[in-house]
Amino acid sequence: MIKYFLIGLGIVAIGFIVLMIVKAKKRKKEIINKLSKLSSDNGYEFIVNKDKTFLIKGEKTLLIDYVEIPPNSSVTINSKSTWCLRWGGKRYGRGYPNQRYLNELSDFLKLKVDYIKVIILYKTTEKILMYLNESEIATVDEGEKVYDYKVVTFDNLENVFPKLFE
């Protein structure tokens, strides 16, 4: 009996892993397709290497990365290489009950490159915040340059796209 339970549990776990891999590939393909369409519509060059995505317009180059976040969330830029995600719950008058650091972005944010880095928040977020100092927080507009990168949500990418090259 226990043997069959463990086999069933293993099958469910493998199915879940396969589903997560398929969803991640679908997300990446959706982002690549949208960027490709926007770049061709606006006359930009679009290059996808193994792990890097570039948009080129004349002398300006954008290096693009993305992170998946829940829609009922807030992203806070604590420092140049540290971001915090807060999400979940009913937001009316209260803070978000869940919190974690976006460590998967750290390497990208720390990259020293000669071009502008763009982080796409997939699919959307309620707000993007940034610490100005230890006690002040400001709202970041999408496409606004923060440190050496710009932040935009996937849902608003079309509206902010021209601003990314400024």
Side-chain angles (χ1 to χ4, degrees):
M1 188 72 165
I2 292 176
K3 178 180 166 182
Y4 295 117
F5 174 75
L6 292 176
I7 291 172
L9 190 62
I11 291 171
V12 169
I14 290 170
F16 180 75
I17 291 169
V18 168
L19 179 67
M20 296 308 291
I21 291 169
V22 168
K23 276 183 68 179
K25 287 185 178 193
K26 183 180 175 191
R27 274 190 305 273
K28 186 168 185 170
K29 185 176 181 180
E30 185 179 5
I31 291 169
I32 298 277
N33 288 343
K34 188 167 191 173
L35 286 171
S36 178
K37 182 183 180 321
L38 286 171
S39 60
S40 66
D41 290 350
N42 293 292
Y44 302 147
E45 187 178 353
F46 181 64
I47 300 170
V48 179
N49 288 344
K50 285 184 180 180
D51 294 331
K52 295 193 178 5
T53 305
F54 296 94
L55 274 175
I56 301 168
K57 177 185 175 186
E59 297 293 315
K60 293 199 175 188
T61 302
L62 303 178
L63 176 60
I64 299 171
D65 198 3
Y66 77 95
V67 63
E68 183 182 5
I69 59 172
N72 64 334
S73 64
S74 145
V75 173
T76 305
I77 301 169
N78 295 356
S79 68
K80 183 176 179 177
S81 62
T82 306
W83 287 24
C84 182
L85 171 66
R86 290 178 174 85
W87 77 96
K90 294 183 180 174
R91 253 304 270 134
Y92 307 107
R94 291 192 254 164
Y96 300 99
N98 305 307
Q99 172 184 335
R100 77 174 183 88
Y101 289 100
L102 294 171
N103 295 326
E104 61 269 29
L105 283 178
S106 288
D107 292 339
F108 182 79
L109 297 172
K110 291 176 184 176
L111 274 177
K112 303 269 191 235
V113 290
D114 294 333
Y115 25 84
I116 298 171
K117 296 180 280 189
V118 176
I119 297 94
I120 298 173
L121 303 174
Y122 184 86
K123 216 157 192 181
T124 191
T125 186
E126 292 176 354
K127 57 187 166 184
I128 304 167
L129 304 171
M130 178 181 145
Y131 275 98
L132 301 175
N133 58 38
E134 292 177 3
S135 60
E136 289 183 81
I137 297 179
T139 302
V140 175
D141 294 329
E142 291 187 42
E144 177 183 342
K145 190 168 184 179
V146 178
Y147 299 109
D148 61 345
Y149 46 80
K150 295 183 178 189
V151 184
V152 62
T153 60
F154 180 78
D155 286 348
N156 200 27
L157 188 58
E158 288 181 41
N159 300 332
V160 180
F161 191 75
K163 191 176 179 182
L164 296 177
F165 284 94
E166 295 176 358

